[in-house]
């Protein structure tokens, strides 16, 4: 069975920001999609996210799955090193970093890699499943049973991430990975936290089950809730 993957995307600075530090990759020809959410302020965050997007876009076509995954890891690790060097050059208190979530599809399987709290979801048969697992302080509190999941998005430390490309880590950058089979009817969502901090997952699921330009509808829903952050979404549909 030959599967066809179709994609769309949308991004917006949000209701309260004048600039957009998010960047995205939408390359069905390469079988690679990504969202990167820059941190570090104007002319810093977009540098980090832009470097990630550019290096993923530069992966050559026609590679097998293992090679593509190796390329993704190596290229993001290279960006990580360059961002650490640039941060050090700009000053001792400067951080230029970015979250990243990447979806790679080859044949009948996919792999998702991520660092930070930009998320990947799979929507199938009316059920929304979060594929990624946030690298954030509040997620650690949820995992430890110290706060309930429904309190995470409104927690005062909800914006603190514990892993990112360009952020100092004594163990080096680690990208988590999840893999599974692709199924006809699957709809994947990659998004920055500007979406998930603006509208609840139940509303996201309802929109993913709708017709039309779903990417644009998700952005509109976030803006209707006065999204405080940049909002970026990439939608990938799996068809026969």
């Amino acid at each position: 069975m030959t599967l066809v993957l179709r994609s769309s995307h949308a991004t917006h600075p949000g209701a309260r920001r004048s600039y957009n530090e998010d960047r995205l990759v939408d390359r069905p020809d390469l079988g690679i999609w990504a969202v990167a959410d820059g941190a570090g302020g104007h002319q810093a965050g977009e540098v980090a996210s832009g470097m990630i997007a550019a290096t993923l876009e530069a992966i050559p076509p026609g590679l097998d799955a293992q090679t593509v995954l190796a390329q993704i890891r190596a290229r993001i690790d290279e960006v990580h090193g360059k961002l650490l060097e640039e941060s050090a050059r700009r000053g001792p208190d400067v951080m230029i970093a970015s979250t990243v979530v990447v979806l790679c599809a080859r044949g009948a399987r996919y792999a998702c890699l991520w660092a930070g709290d930009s998320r990947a979801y799979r929507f199938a048969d009316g059920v929304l499943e979060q594929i990624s697992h946030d690298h954030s302080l509040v997620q650690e509190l949820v995992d430890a049973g110290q706060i309930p999941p429904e309190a995470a998005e409104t927690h005062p430390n909800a914006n603190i991430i514990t892993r990112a490309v360009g952020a100092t880590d004594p163990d080096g950058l680690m990208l988590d990975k999840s893999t599974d089979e692709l199924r006809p009817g699957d709809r994947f969502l990659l998004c920055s936290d500007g979406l998930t901090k603006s509208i609840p997952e139940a509303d996201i699921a309802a929109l993913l089950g709708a017709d039309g330009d779903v990417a644009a509808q998700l952005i509109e829903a976030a803006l209707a809730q006065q999204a405080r952050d940049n909002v970026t979404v990439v939608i990938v549909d799996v068809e026969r």
Side-chain angles (χ1 to χ4, degrees):
M1 178 177 59
T2 301
L3 298 175
V4 177
L5 282 76
R6 305 186 189 279
S7 54
S8 60
H9 65 264
T11 186
H12 196 281
R16 306 191 183 186
R17 297 199 177 185
S18 59
Y19 57 91
N20 193 344
E21 295 181 275
D22 289 356
R23 296 294 183 269
L24 63 88
V25 175
D26 182 0
R27 292 294 301 273
D29 57 316
L30 298 177
I32 298 173
W33 300 265
V35 168
D37 180 356
H42 191 32
Q43 295 184 339
E46 69 264 37
V47 169
S49 58
M51 288 174 65
I52 292 170
T55 197
L56 293 176
E57 294 256 12
I59 292 176
L63 303 178
D64 61 67
Q66 287 188 333
T67 304
V68 171
L69 291 177
Q71 284 266 321
I72 290 170
R73 289 187 181 277
R75 287 167 176 267
I76 291 178
D77 194 59
E78 183 179 6
V79 170
H80 177 67
K82 289 180 178 178
L83 290 174
L84 289 175
E85 292 175 1
E86 180 62 18
S87 295
R89 189 188 68 80
R90 294 193 184 191
D93 298 321
V94 174
M95 181 187 71
I96 308 173
S98 178
T99 69
V100 65
V101 58
V102 186
L103 179 70
C104 175
R106 283 293 183 280
R109 294 192 65 82
Y110 75 84
C112 178
L113 299 96
W114 71 93
D117 61 355
S118 291
R119 292 182 181 176
Y121 291 91
R122 177 164 59 179
F123 182 75
D125 299 322
V127 177
L128 183 66
E129 170 196 8
Q130 184 176 335
I131 300 170
S132 58
H133 191 74
D134 292 355
H135 299 130
S136 67
L137 178 60
V138 292
Q139 187 61 60
E140 290 182 356
L141 295 175
V142 170
D143 292 344
Q146 296 181 26
I147 63 172
E150 57 270 17
E153 302 297 358
T154 57
H155 192 277
N157 293 323
N159 291 326
I160 298 178
I161 56 176
T162 56
R163 194 183 304 179
V165 183
T168 302
D169 190 323
D171 298 322
L173 176 67
M174 292 186 293
L175 297 177
D176 282 353
K177 184 176 76 169
S178 177
T179 65
D180 201 353
E181 293 182 356
L182 292 169
R183 301 185 299 257
D186 283 347
R187 169 168 280 178
F188 292 90
L189 164 67
L190 306 182
C191 64
S192 58
D193 69 338
L195 179 73
T196 53
K197 286 184 171 62
S198 299
I199 56 178
E201 287 189 347
D203 291 352
I204 293 174
L207 288 168
L208 288 173
D211 296 325
D213 189 344
V214 175
Q217 292 172 29
L218 286 165
I219 297 290
E220 290 171 5
L223 293 176
Q225 296 302 315
Q226 297 299 302
R228 301 173 62 90
D229 202 353
N230 308 149
V231 188
T232 298
V233 299
V234 176
I235 303 293
V236 181
D237 288 315
V238 182
E239 304 173 359
R240 283 192 174 88

